[in-house]
Amino acid sequence: MKTAGKKEDQPIGVFDSGIGGLTVVRALTKRLPHENIVYFGDTARVPYGPKSPQVVREYAAQDVAFLMGHRVKMVVVACNTVSAVALDVVQKIAGVPVVGVIQPGAVAAVKETTRKRVGIIGTLTTVSSQAYAHAIRGIARDVQVFSRACPLFVPLAEEGWIDHQVTRMVAKEYLFPLTLEKIDTLILGCTHYPVLRDAIEAAIGPGVRLVDSGEATALEVERMLQTHALCNSSADRPNLQFFVSDIPAKFAEVGERFLGQTMGRVKRIPIEGGGVAPLR
Ligand code: DGL
């Protein structure tokens, strides 16, 4: 466990159901290159997207408890599914500022839309929760929201089928109903989707702006760090640490594609005995 001196030097804790949250780390390191980061990917229990909110809430509680053991100064919930159904659980446990991806993504989409017609794509649980729709309506009541779950995008991104005809076909199939709604803005409401950006862009057609909720979140993290006087001003190379709950080999291999840089050592840790917590 790293013991830091000044609060500003402490790392930002980021967690996700698995590998996808590395797209959020990528956005964070781009915007905040001096920040230390501790990342946890729950690779033993991924995917969260098709699971019930109750199960996702139990997992999220364990995930954030792990990060708090690393004395993080802030928690970023990179996972859209967790942000959609368990942000309150994370906030209760963390005791430090928490940023999820839904609200920043919603704010960015409202700024982008001109015809006030926004599409949202995400996992089954994110879409059924209507978290993005509620967040958007909380900002601008007159924006119409159209959602579509795209679960196959997750394995396609992990398989590395980025420029692949199967991915292009799946994208067309999923996004066709949204093209009929004449949306002008589309939220990539899942950690994996930025990796498939080109296929999504081609399927949704020209004139639709894509909002990467990870990038929007990095902006919000920067704002929060400033508000809480937590920015790391050290010119040292930041320390990025990666932890997973199942074998790290594949994580490191696939993860570099998501992260956009090499990752160094990935450590495996037990999370709740490495198994599924009993349901109450
Ligand atoms: N990280 C998840 C999300 O952003 C996608 C992968 C999963 O289903 O666990 O919703």
Side-chain angles (χ1 to χ4, degrees):
M1 190 184 304
K2 192 176 180 239
T3 47
K6 285 189 293 174
K7 184 102 179 155
E8 306 92 87
D9 298 340
Q10 287 172 222
I12 298 173
V14 183
F15 78 93
D16 179 52
S17 54
I19 211 161
L22 293 174
T23 58
V24 179
V25 174
R26 183 186 195 144
L28 284 172
T29 54
K30 207 165 144 200
R31 178 151 286 276
L32 301 160
H34 302 299
E35 296 297 336
N36 299 311
I37 292 177
V38 175
Y39 180 89
F40 173 62
D42 193 6
T43 51
R45 305 186 295 199
V46 70
Y48 285 11
K51 296 195 169 80
S52 70
Q54 189 193 352
V55 167
V56 173
R57 289 168 72 81
E58 288 186 9
Y59 290 178
Q62 293 159 7
D63 300 344
V64 69
F66 167 75
L67 287 181
M68 297 324 293
H70 284 261
R71 300 186 65 238
V72 298
K73 62 182 174 184
M74 178 182 282
V75 171
V76 177
V77 183
C79 183
N80 286 256
T81 308
V82 173
S83 300
V85 300
L87 198 64
D88 58 322
V89 172
V90 178
Q91 278 162 336
K92 216 164 140 190
I93 294 171
V96 294
V98 173
V99 182
V101 288
I102 305 281
Q103 188 66 21
V107 169
V110 170
K111 268 197 201 133
E112 285 293 334
T113 185
T114 48
R115 287 202 303 270
K116 301 191 184 304
R117 296 176 80 80
V118 172
I120 293 152
I121 49 174
T123 66
L124 280 168
T125 296
T126 298
V127 167
S128 333
S129 74
Q130 296 202 49
Y132 271 111
H134 289 142
I136 288 174
R137 295 217 182 90
I139 305 162
R141 292 199 72 81
D142 55 343
V143 173
Q144 277 187 277
V145 171
F146 306 90
S147 311
R148 184 104 166 110
C150 305
L152 288 175
F153 282 166
V154 169
L156 288 170
E158 295 206 359
E159 203 54 41
W161 288 13
I162 315 296
D163 184 18
H164 194 290
Q165 57 167 338
V166 170
T167 306
R168 286 190 286 273
M169 278 167 63
V170 170
K172 266 195 192 144
E173 184 74 28
Y174 276 148
L175 300 179
F176 179 66
L178 291 179
T179 63
L180 299 180
E181 301 297 352
K182 305 274 177 262
I183 58 166
D184 66 6
T185 303
L186 178 65
I187 300 180
L188 305 179
C190 173
T191 49
H192 289 60
Y193 298 177
V195 176
L196 304 179
R197 194 182 178 111
D198 290 349
I200 293 170
E201 216 156 33
I204 198 68
V208 177
R209 282 173 289 265
L210 301 193
V211 169
D212 178 338
S213 46
E215 282 172 7
T217 299
L219 254 172
E220 176 61 10
V221 170
E222 182 179 40
R223 199 190 61 78
M224 289 272 269
L225 289 175
Q226 285 164 355
T227 308
H228 293 273
L230 285 173
C231 297
N232 190 344
S233 51
S234 155
D236 294 349
R237 226 171 133 231
N239 185 17
L240 306 184
Q241 293 177 271
F242 299 95
F243 296 89
V244 290
S245 51
D246 201 355
I247 39 166
K250 179 130 192 281
F251 179 89
E253 181 197 313
V254 181
E256 292 185 355
R257 192 161 51 230
F258 284 61
L259 186 64
Q261 58 172 288
T262 50
M263 209 181 290
R265 203 162 104 76
V266 179
K267 291 182 208 131
R268 181 182 180 184
I269 56 108
I271 187 104
E272 185 74 357
V276 178
L279 287 177
R280 278 172 287 279

